[in-house]
Amino acid sequence: MMPAPAPRRVRATAAAMELLRRLRDSHGPLMLHQSGGCCDGSAPMCYPAGEFVIGDRDVLLGLLDLRLRAGERADSTPEPNDVVPVWISGPQFAAWQHTQLVLDMVPGRGSGFSLESPEGFRFLSRGRVFEPVELDALSAVAVVTGADFEQGERPAPAAEPQVVADAADACPIPGRGTR
């Protein structure tokens, strides 16, 4: 029996991807860092690429491909401006490694440090606990740390689509069924 393919550690809603595309068009290449609890709690923070210093022990959750829409899969390597790395601190990853992060967007004002702050929307992290079979598959895949990334390592491609139409498509809401 073939092992199950490893799921993505990060996915995004179509709305979050559209906001990222708008921010990229205004600010150039981007990066995201899942905040560790100061300032805006656990808000994902969006910065111009390279503006936030990634530590050697930070973990790369994934690379969002801004060319993709809901349900699409990439058939070629994206240009650097189309890639948004999503990072999390090592200690926070240790606490969240059993959870798939789903980047969403909601009305409101983001942190003063995050690029979406003046847009009238803010990024929001939603989560879905991985199933046991997914955790088994992930245990066979090495995480990419800041030090690894600096040496040129990148995450392995995942089979599932990166972008979902709505957050409930990736993290079903109990009692509301699934889509």
Side-chain angles (χ1 to χ4, degrees), residues 11 22 25 42 59 62 65-67 69-70 79 83 88 96 101 106-107 110 122 135 139 143-144 155-156 161 164:
R11 297 176 85 185
R22 286 196 330 252
D25 292 346
S42 60
V59 173
D65 184 341
L66 295 180
R67 303 173 304 163
R69 304 289 194 256
E79 295 294 322
V83 176
I88 190 169
W96 282 27
L101 186 143
V106 295
R122 64 184 179 91
L135 288 170
S139 70
V143 296
V144 177
V164 294

PDB file of all heavy atoms in Angstrom, residues 11 22 25 42 59 62 65-67 69-70 79 83 88 96 101 106-107 110 122 135 139 143-144 155-156 161 164:
ATOM      1  N   ARG A  11      -2.478  26.644   3.405  1.00  0.00           N
ATOM      2  CA  ARG A  11      -3.356  26.882   2.263  1.00  0.00           C
ATOM      3  C   ARG A  11      -3.909  28.294   2.437  1.00  0.00           C
ATOM      4  O   ARG A  11      -3.750  28.908   3.483  1.00  0.00           O
ATOM      5  CB  ARG A  11      -4.493  25.856   2.221  1.00  0.00           C
ATOM      6  CG  ARG A  11      -3.946  24.438   2.026  1.00  0.00           C
ATOM      7  CD  ARG A  11      -5.030  23.410   2.088  1.00  0.00           C
ATOM      8  NE  ARG A  11      -5.649  23.275   0.772  1.00  0.00           N
ATOM      9  CZ  ARG A  11      -6.709  22.512   0.548  1.00  0.00           C
ATOM     10  NH1 ARG A  11      -7.283  21.847   1.524  1.00  0.00           N
ATOM     11  NH2 ARG A  11      -7.208  22.421  -0.663  1.00  0.00           N
ATOM     12  N   ARG A  22      -2.989  42.088  -4.768  1.00  0.00           N
ATOM     13  CA  ARG A  22      -3.077  43.558  -4.741  1.00  0.00           C
ATOM     14  C   ARG A  22      -1.891  44.166  -3.998  1.00  0.00           C
ATOM     15  O   ARG A  22      -1.304  45.163  -4.436  1.00  0.00           O
ATOM     16  CB  ARG A  22      -4.388  44.009  -4.090  1.00  0.00           C
ATOM     17  CG  ARG A  22      -5.597  43.806  -4.973  1.00  0.00           C
ATOM     18  CD  ARG A  22      -6.848  44.573  -4.531  1.00  0.00           C
ATOM     19  NE  ARG A  22      -7.016  44.830  -3.130  1.00  0.00           N
ATOM     20  CZ  ARG A  22      -7.903  44.226  -2.333  1.00  0.00           C
ATOM     21  NH1 ARG A  22      -8.700  43.293  -2.827  1.00  0.00           N
ATOM     22  NH2 ARG A  22      -8.004  44.560  -1.078  1.00  0.00           N
ATOM     23  N   ASP A  25       1.225  43.931  -6.098  1.00  0.00           N
ATOM     24  CA  ASP A  25       1.218  44.937  -7.167  1.00  0.00           C
ATOM     25  C   ASP A  25       1.614  46.314  -6.649  1.00  0.00           C
ATOM     26  O   ASP A  25       2.212  47.105  -7.368  1.00  0.00           O
ATOM     27  CB  ASP A  25      -0.151  44.992  -7.850  1.00  0.00           C
ATOM     28  CG  ASP A  25      -0.468  43.733  -8.649  1.00  0.00           C
ATOM     29  OD1 ASP A  25       0.462  42.919  -8.901  1.00  0.00           O
ATOM     30  OD2 ASP A  25      -1.648  43.544  -8.996  1.00  0.00           O
ATOM     31  N   SER A  42      -2.236  36.343  17.340  1.00  0.00           N
ATOM     32  CA  SER A  42      -1.640  35.359  16.440  1.00  0.00           C
ATOM     33  C   SER A  42      -1.919  35.713  14.984  1.00  0.00           C
ATOM     34  O   SER A  42      -2.112  34.839  14.155  1.00  0.00           O
ATOM     35  CB  SER A  42      -2.160  33.961  16.773  1.00  0.00           C
ATOM     36  OG  SER A  42      -3.567  33.934  16.638  1.00  0.00           O
ATOM     37  N   VAL A  59      10.437  28.187  10.680  1.00  0.00           N
ATOM     38  CA  VAL A  59      10.034  27.095   9.789  1.00  0.00           C
ATOM     39  C   VAL A  59       9.195  27.659   8.651  1.00  0.00           C
ATOM     40  O   VAL A  59       8.276  28.457   8.863  1.00  0.00           O
ATOM     41  CB  VAL A  59       9.231  26.022  10.572  1.00  0.00           C
ATOM     42  CG1 VAL A  59       8.660  24.967   9.633  1.00  0.00           C
ATOM     43  CG2 VAL A  59      10.123  25.381  11.628  1.00  0.00           C
ATOM     44  N   GLY A  62       5.212  26.996   3.825  1.00  0.00           N
ATOM     45  CA  GLY A  62       4.959  26.767   2.400  1.00  0.00           C
ATOM     46  C   GLY A  62       5.194  28.022   1.597  1.00  0.00           C
ATOM     47  O   GLY A  62       5.463  29.098   2.141  1.00  0.00           O
ATOM     48  N   ASP A  65       1.645  30.445  -4.228  1.00  0.00           N
ATOM     49  CA  ASP A  65       1.840  30.789  -5.635  1.00  0.00           C
ATOM     50  C   ASP A  65       0.695  31.714  -6.051  1.00  0.00           C
ATOM     51  O   ASP A  65      -0.447  31.265  -6.203  1.00  0.00           O
ATOM     52  CB  ASP A  65       1.849  29.511  -6.472  1.00  0.00           C
ATOM     53  CG  ASP A  65       2.141  29.733  -7.937  1.00  0.00           C
ATOM     54  OD1 ASP A  65       1.987  30.874  -8.430  1.00  0.00           O
ATOM     55  OD2 ASP A  65       2.503  28.749  -8.613  1.00  0.00           O
ATOM     56  N   LEU A  66       0.998  32.998  -6.223  1.00  0.00           N
ATOM     57  CA  LEU A  66      -0.041  33.992  -6.511  1.00  0.00           C
ATOM     58  C   LEU A  66      -0.691  33.821  -7.873  1.00  0.00           C
ATOM     59  O   LEU A  66      -1.697  34.468  -8.155  1.00  0.00           O
ATOM     60  CB  LEU A  66       0.537  35.404  -6.373  1.00  0.00           C
ATOM     61  CG  LEU A  66       0.986  35.792  -4.965  1.00  0.00           C
ATOM     62  CD1 LEU A  66       1.547  37.207  -4.949  1.00  0.00           C
ATOM     63  CD2 LEU A  66      -0.146  35.644  -3.966  1.00  0.00           C
ATOM     64  N   ARG A  67      -0.185  32.960  -8.716  1.00  0.00           N
ATOM     65  CA  ARG A  67      -0.812  32.705 -10.017  1.00  0.00           C
ATOM     66  C   ARG A  67      -2.051  31.840  -9.888  1.00  0.00           C
ATOM     67  O   ARG A  67      -2.884  31.799 -10.789  1.00  0.00           O
ATOM     68  CB  ARG A  67       0.175  31.990 -10.960  1.00  0.00           C
ATOM     69  CG  ARG A  67       1.467  32.725 -11.197  1.00  0.00           C
ATOM     70  CD  ARG A  67       2.429  31.866 -11.989  1.00  0.00           C
ATOM     71  NE  ARG A  67       2.646  30.590 -11.297  1.00  0.00           N
ATOM     72  CZ  ARG A  67       3.158  29.501 -11.875  1.00  0.00           C
ATOM     73  NH1 ARG A  67       3.524  29.523 -13.147  1.00  0.00           N
ATOM     74  NH2 ARG A  67       3.328  28.398 -11.181  1.00  0.00           N
ATOM     75  N   ARG A  69      -5.603  30.100  -8.607  1.00  0.00           N
ATOM     76  CA  ARG A  69      -6.959  30.381  -8.139  1.00  0.00           C
ATOM     77  C   ARG A  69      -7.476  29.109  -7.449  1.00  0.00           C
ATOM     78  O   ARG A  69      -6.847  28.070  -7.481  1.00  0.00           O
ATOM     79  CB  ARG A  69      -7.883  30.748  -9.314  1.00  0.00           C
ATOM     80  CG  ARG A  69      -7.394  31.926 -10.178  1.00  0.00           C
ATOM     81  CD  ARG A  69      -7.525  33.230  -9.411  1.00  0.00           C
ATOM     82  NE  ARG A  69      -7.386  34.403 -10.273  1.00  0.00           N
ATOM     83  CZ  ARG A  69      -6.306  35.177 -10.333  1.00  0.00           C
ATOM     84  NH1 ARG A  69      -5.242  34.879  -9.631  1.00  0.00           N
ATOM     85  NH2 ARG A  69      -6.273  36.239 -11.095  1.00  0.00           N
ATOM     86  N   ALA A  70      -8.654  29.186  -6.868  1.00  0.00           N
ATOM     87  CA  ALA A  70      -9.227  28.056  -6.125  1.00  0.00           C
ATOM     88  C   ALA A  70      -9.232  26.788  -6.975  1.00  0.00           C
ATOM     89  O   ALA A  70      -9.693  26.797  -8.118  1.00  0.00           O
ATOM     90  CB  ALA A  70     -10.628  28.385  -5.656  1.00  0.00           C
ATOM     91  N   GLU A  79       7.437  32.688 -11.143  1.00  0.00           N
ATOM     92  CA  GLU A  79       8.468  33.728 -11.074  1.00  0.00           C
ATOM     93  C   GLU A  79       8.607  34.152  -9.604  1.00  0.00           C
ATOM     94  O   GLU A  79       7.645  34.040  -8.834  1.00  0.00           O
ATOM     95  CB  GLU A  79       8.058  34.937 -11.921  1.00  0.00           C
ATOM     96  CG  GLU A  79       7.979  34.652 -13.409  1.00  0.00           C
ATOM     97  CD  GLU A  79       9.335  34.320 -14.002  1.00  0.00           C
ATOM     98  OE1 GLU A  79      10.338  34.945 -13.594  1.00  0.00           O
ATOM     99  OE2 GLU A  79       9.397  33.426 -14.872  1.00  0.00           O
ATOM    100  N   VAL A  83       5.707  34.379  -5.719  1.00  0.00           N
ATOM    101  CA  VAL A  83       5.857  33.463  -4.590  1.00  0.00           C
ATOM    102  C   VAL A  83       5.842  34.246  -3.278  1.00  0.00           C
ATOM    103  O   VAL A  83       6.570  35.221  -3.123  1.00  0.00           O
ATOM    104  CB  VAL A  83       7.173  32.665  -4.707  1.00  0.00           C
ATOM    105  CG1 VAL A  83       7.376  31.786  -3.482  1.00  0.00           C
ATOM    106  CG2 VAL A  83       7.170  31.834  -5.973  1.00  0.00           C
ATOM    107  N   ILE A  88       6.855  30.649  10.194  1.00  0.00           N
ATOM    108  CA  ILE A  88       6.399  30.601  11.575  1.00  0.00           C
ATOM    109  C   ILE A  88       7.643  30.370  12.442  1.00  0.00           C
ATOM    110  O   ILE A  88       8.597  29.728  11.988  1.00  0.00           O
ATOM    111  CB  ILE A  88       5.352  29.476  11.764  1.00  0.00           C
ATOM    112  CG1 ILE A  88       4.665  29.542  13.124  1.00  0.00           C
ATOM    113  CG2 ILE A  88       5.958  28.102  11.529  1.00  0.00           C
ATOM    114  CD1 ILE A  88       3.451  28.618  13.249  1.00  0.00           C
ATOM    115  N   TRP A  96       2.198  24.025  16.851  1.00  0.00           N
ATOM    116  CA  TRP A  96       1.175  23.992  15.798  1.00  0.00           C
ATOM    117  C   TRP A  96       1.429  22.932  14.733  1.00  0.00           C
ATOM    118  O   TRP A  96       0.674  22.849  13.768  1.00  0.00           O
ATOM    119  CB  TRP A  96       1.127  25.344  15.103  1.00  0.00           C
ATOM    120  CG  TRP A  96       0.417  26.430  15.820  1.00  0.00           C
ATOM    121  CD1 TRP A  96       0.225  26.573  17.161  1.00  0.00           C
ATOM    122  CD2 TRP A  96      -0.203  27.564  15.224  1.00  0.00           C
ATOM    123  NE1 TRP A  96      -0.456  27.727  17.435  1.00  0.00           N
ATOM    124  CE2 TRP A  96      -0.736  28.360  16.254  1.00  0.00           C
ATOM    125  CE3 TRP A  96      -0.348  28.002  13.922  1.00  0.00           C
ATOM    126  CZ2 TRP A  96      -1.410  29.543  16.020  1.00  0.00           C
ATOM    127  CZ3 TRP A  96      -1.021  29.189  13.684  1.00  0.00           C
ATOM    128  CH2 TRP A  96      -1.545  29.944  14.725  1.00  0.00           C
ATOM    129  N   LEU A 101      -2.410  25.454   8.586  1.00  0.00           N
ATOM    130  CA  LEU A 101      -2.776  26.864   8.659  1.00  0.00           C
ATOM    131  C   LEU A 101      -3.508  27.238   7.378  1.00  0.00           C
ATOM    132  O   LEU A 101      -3.047  26.928   6.276  1.00  0.00           O
ATOM    133  CB  LEU A 101      -1.523  27.727   8.814  1.00  0.00           C
ATOM    134  CG  LEU A 101      -1.767  29.204   9.040  1.00  0.00           C
ATOM    135  CD1 LEU A 101      -0.739  29.740  10.020  1.00  0.00           C
ATOM    136  CD2 LEU A 101      -1.686  29.984   7.741  1.00  0.00           C
ATOM    137  N   VAL A 106     -10.486  38.894   6.387  1.00  0.00           N
ATOM    138  CA  VAL A 106     -11.764  39.338   6.930  1.00  0.00           C
ATOM    139  C   VAL A 106     -11.771  40.865   6.986  1.00  0.00           C
ATOM    140  O   VAL A 106     -10.709  41.491   7.009  1.00  0.00           O
ATOM    141  CB  VAL A 106     -12.025  38.745   8.341  1.00  0.00           C
ATOM    142  CG1 VAL A 106     -12.178  37.235   8.289  1.00  0.00           C
ATOM    143  CG2 VAL A 106     -10.939  39.140   9.317  1.00  0.00           C
ATOM    144  N   PRO A 107     -12.945  41.479   7.021  1.00  0.00           N
ATOM    145  CA  PRO A 107     -12.980  42.935   7.172  1.00  0.00           C
ATOM    146  C   PRO A 107     -12.368  43.348   8.496  1.00  0.00           C
ATOM    147  O   PRO A 107     -12.456  42.627   9.491  1.00  0.00           O
ATOM    148  CB  PRO A 107     -14.484  43.263   7.148  1.00  0.00           C
ATOM    149  CG  PRO A 107     -15.131  42.090   6.507  1.00  0.00           C
ATOM    150  CD  PRO A 107     -14.274  40.906   6.856  1.00  0.00           C
ATOM    151  N   GLY A 110      -5.837  45.588   9.959  1.00  0.00           N
ATOM    152  CA  GLY A 110      -4.712  44.753  10.340  1.00  0.00           C
ATOM    153  C   GLY A 110      -3.769  45.511  11.249  1.00  0.00           C
ATOM    154  O   GLY A 110      -3.959  46.690  11.547  1.00  0.00           O
ATOM    155  N   ARG A 122      -8.013  42.432   7.037  1.00  0.00           N
ATOM    156  CA  ARG A 122      -6.850  41.895   7.742  1.00  0.00           C
ATOM    157  C   ARG A 122      -6.769  40.405   7.470  1.00  0.00           C
ATOM    158  O   ARG A 122      -7.768  39.740   7.203  1.00  0.00           O
ATOM    159  CB  ARG A 122      -6.929  42.181   9.237  1.00  0.00           C
ATOM    160  CG  ARG A 122      -8.076  41.509   9.940  1.00  0.00           C
ATOM    161  CD  ARG A 122      -8.132  41.917  11.413  1.00  0.00           C
ATOM    162  NE  ARG A 122      -9.237  41.284  12.084  1.00  0.00           N
ATOM    163  CZ  ARG A 122      -9.178  40.110  12.708  1.00  0.00           C
ATOM    164  NH1 ARG A 122      -8.056  39.433  12.734  1.00  0.00           N
ATOM    165  NH2 ARG A 122     -10.236  39.610  13.295  1.00  0.00           N
ATOM    166  N   LEU A 135      -0.680  13.155   9.430  1.00  0.00           N
ATOM    167  CA  LEU A 135       0.471  13.340  10.323  1.00  0.00           C
ATOM    168  C   LEU A 135       1.558  12.306  10.026  1.00  0.00           C
ATOM    169  O   LEU A 135       2.751  12.628  10.043  1.00  0.00           O
ATOM    170  CB  LEU A 135       0.038  13.263  11.785  1.00  0.00           C
ATOM    171  CG  LEU A 135      -0.757  14.462  12.287  1.00  0.00           C
ATOM    172  CD1 LEU A 135      -1.350  14.179  13.665  1.00  0.00           C
ATOM    173  CD2 LEU A 135       0.101  15.709  12.308  1.00  0.00           C
ATOM    174  N   SER A 139       5.309  13.240   8.773  1.00  0.00           N
ATOM    175  CA  SER A 139       6.486  12.832   9.545  1.00  0.00           C
ATOM    176  C   SER A 139       7.626  12.370   8.634  1.00  0.00           C
ATOM    177  O   SER A 139       8.783  12.373   9.035  1.00  0.00           O
ATOM    178  CB  SER A 139       6.126  11.742  10.552  1.00  0.00           C
ATOM    179  OG  SER A 139       5.845  10.523   9.886  1.00  0.00           O
ATOM    180  N   VAL A 143      11.020  19.383   7.517  1.00  0.00           N
ATOM    181  CA  VAL A 143      10.631  20.794   7.464  1.00  0.00           C
ATOM    182  C   VAL A 143      11.831  21.604   6.963  1.00  0.00           C
ATOM    183  O   VAL A 143      12.976  21.187   7.104  1.00  0.00           O
ATOM    184  CB  VAL A 143      10.141  21.330   8.828  1.00  0.00           C
ATOM    185  CG1 VAL A 143       8.883  20.609   9.266  1.00  0.00           C
ATOM    186  CG2 VAL A 143      11.215  21.245   9.874  1.00  0.00           C
ATOM    187  N   VAL A 144      11.531  22.749   6.371  1.00  0.00           N
ATOM    188  CA  VAL A 144      12.575  23.654   5.889  1.00  0.00           C
ATOM    189  C   VAL A 144      12.683  24.808   6.878  1.00  0.00           C
ATOM    190  O   VAL A 144      11.711  25.535   7.098  1.00  0.00           O
ATOM    191  CB  VAL A 144      12.249  24.179   4.468  1.00  0.00           C
ATOM    192  CG1 VAL A 144      13.301  25.182   4.014  1.00  0.00           C
ATOM    193  CG2 VAL A 144      12.135  23.026   3.481  1.00  0.00           C
ATOM    194  N   PRO A 155      10.455  23.515   0.071  1.00  0.00           N
ATOM    195  CA  PRO A 155       9.543  22.420   0.436  1.00  0.00           C
ATOM    196  C   PRO A 155       9.178  21.580  -0.781  1.00  0.00           C
ATOM    197  O   PRO A 155       9.145  22.080  -1.909  1.00  0.00           O
ATOM    198  CB  PRO A 155       8.319  23.150   1.004  1.00  0.00           C
ATOM    199  CG  PRO A 155       8.396  24.529   0.457  1.00  0.00           C
ATOM    200  CD  PRO A 155       9.839  24.828   0.202  1.00  0.00           C
ATOM    201  N   ALA A 156       8.900  20.311  -0.518  1.00  0.00           N
ATOM    202  CA  ALA A 156       8.450  19.418  -1.587  1.00  0.00           C
ATOM    203  C   ALA A 156       7.051  19.826  -2.030  1.00  0.00           C
ATOM    204  O   ALA A 156       6.251  20.303  -1.220  1.00  0.00           O
ATOM    205  CB  ALA A 156       8.438  17.978  -1.070  1.00  0.00           C
ATOM    206  N   PRO A 161      -4.713  21.009  -3.907  1.00  0.00           N
ATOM    207  CA  PRO A 161      -4.684  22.411  -4.341  1.00  0.00           C
ATOM    208  C   PRO A 161      -4.331  23.342  -3.190  1.00  0.00           C
ATOM    209  O   PRO A 161      -4.664  23.078  -2.036  1.00  0.00           O
ATOM    210  CB  PRO A 161      -6.110  22.676  -4.819  1.00  0.00           C
ATOM    211  CG  PRO A 161      -6.665  21.336  -5.120  1.00  0.00           C
ATOM    212  CD  PRO A 161      -6.001  20.389  -4.161  1.00  0.00           C
ATOM    213  N   VAL A 164      -8.279  27.524  -1.722  1.00  0.00           N
ATOM    214  CA  VAL A 164      -9.662  27.078  -1.569  1.00  0.00           C
ATOM    215  C   VAL A 164     -10.578  28.283  -1.769  1.00  0.00           C
ATOM    216  O   VAL A 164     -10.177  29.422  -1.528  1.00  0.00           O
ATOM    217  CB  VAL A 164      -9.897  26.439  -0.184  1.00  0.00           C
ATOM    218  CG1 VAL A 164      -9.101  25.143  -0.055  1.00  0.00           C
ATOM    219  CG2 VAL A 164      -9.571  27.390   0.939  1.00  0.00           C
TER     220      VAL A 164
END
